[in-house]
Amino acid sequence: MIYPIVAYGDPVLRKMARPVEKGTDLTELVANMLETMHNADGVGLAAPQIGLDLRLFVVDGSGTEDEVLKPFKQVFVNPQILDQAGDPWGYEEGCLSLPGIREEVKRQAKLRIRFFDEHWQEYEAEFDGLRARVIQHEYDHIEGKLFIDHLSPLRRRLLNGKLNDILKGKAKADYRLRYSSAKR
Ligand code: NI
């Protein structure tokens, strides 16, 4: 099932997400999230982006041409970033909840993370480069953060027009968006 993707402006994107109750059957939710993400040509999708304030995100780079991301497919449940290291480096990011916006974001080069997969198997692993970046971007989502929060005040201000278009429901995307329920 393909969910509409929650657009910028919905309070669920700004909430600290709750841990998933251990042992919950995630088979259907994860399958639907992957289907939703593939339909929108995304590389990552976090539960708040489908309106669920849960600490869960999926990553699948198989649709990209990038040799580092291509084989990277993983479900992260109740993840915990234990450590981040390395010089911050810049890369242009986008987000399915912020259609039409792409900006360079600086993030640390590597991280160590503990997480469960959708079968509640626990892992601790290290990631670097683009894989670390995708994880950092999705992890931000479950902390109520968006990639535009990392921009300088000036660059953020330059985006006001585009952000307002999204708030007004005027943004264009090749997938279905769900606009803020707070808006009347
Ligand atoms: Ni995103």
Side-chain angles (χ1 to χ4, degrees):
M1 187 186 113
I2 295 171
Y3 298 107
I5 291 175
V6 172
Y8 172 75
D10 192 302
V12 74
L13 295 178
R14 290 309 195 178
K15 272 174 88 172
M16 176 73 89
R18 296 173 292 124
V20 182
E21 194 181 330
K22 205 171 168 185
T24 303
D25 181 356
L26 296 170
T27 320
E28 203 179 326
L29 176 60
V30 164
N32 288 340
M33 283 179 69
L34 285 167
E35 192 184 352
T36 299
M37 185 180 74
H38 292 146
N39 175 65
D41 288 327
V43 175
L45 184 74
Q49 294 182 277
I50 57 157
L52 293 176
D53 66 326
L54 291 174
R55 303 183 74 79
L56 188 164
F57 56 83
V58 298
V59 173
D60 183 2
S62 62
T64 72
E65 294 305 317
D66 187 273
E67 59 184 53
V68 172
L69 285 183
K70 216 173 177 53
F72 185 34
K73 182 172 181 178
Q74 186 66 58
V75 178
F76 293 84
V77 183
N78 294 346
Q80 210 189 335
I81 291 183
L82 304 169
D83 193 30
Q84 298 193 66
D87 291 335
W89 61 293
Y91 190 84
E92 196 174 81
E93 296 188 15
C95 179
L96 296 177
S97 295
L98 291 152
I101 297 181
R102 296 195 68 83
E103 289 288 329
E104 186 178 294
V105 177
K106 285 201 163 74
R107 298 190 190 268
Q108 282 190 279
K110 42 184 177 174
L111 59 83
R112 201 156 54 85
I113 187 169
R114 187 183 297 150
F115 60 97
F116 295 90
D117 67 9
E118 68 273 42
H119 311 294
W120 292 101
Q121 166 135 9
E122 194 173 15
Y123 300 86
E124 194 177 310
E126 285 183 17
F127 295 94
D128 60 12
L130 275 180
R131 294 184 186 204
R133 177 172 296 272
V134 173
I135 291 169
Q136 287 157 332
H137 177 117
E138 299 310 324
Y139 194 87
D140 272 357
H141 275 300
I142 64 171
E143 299 273 291
K145 286 188 228 158
L146 298 169
F147 79 89
I148 51 172
D149 301 348
H150 295 279
L151 304 178
S152 70
L154 172 64
R155 279 171 65 204
R156 173 74 179 254
R157 208 152 54 234
L158 293 172
L159 290 177
N160 273 345
K162 284 181 177 176
L163 292 173
N164 280 328
D165 279 351
I166 302 177
L167 290 176
K168 290 187 211 141
K170 288 200 292 188
K172 288 202 170 50
D174 297 333
Y175 45 88
R176 198 148 60 92
L177 283 162
R178 190 187 105 184
Y179 290 100
S180 175
S181 49
K183 199 177 57 177
R184 305 265 175 255

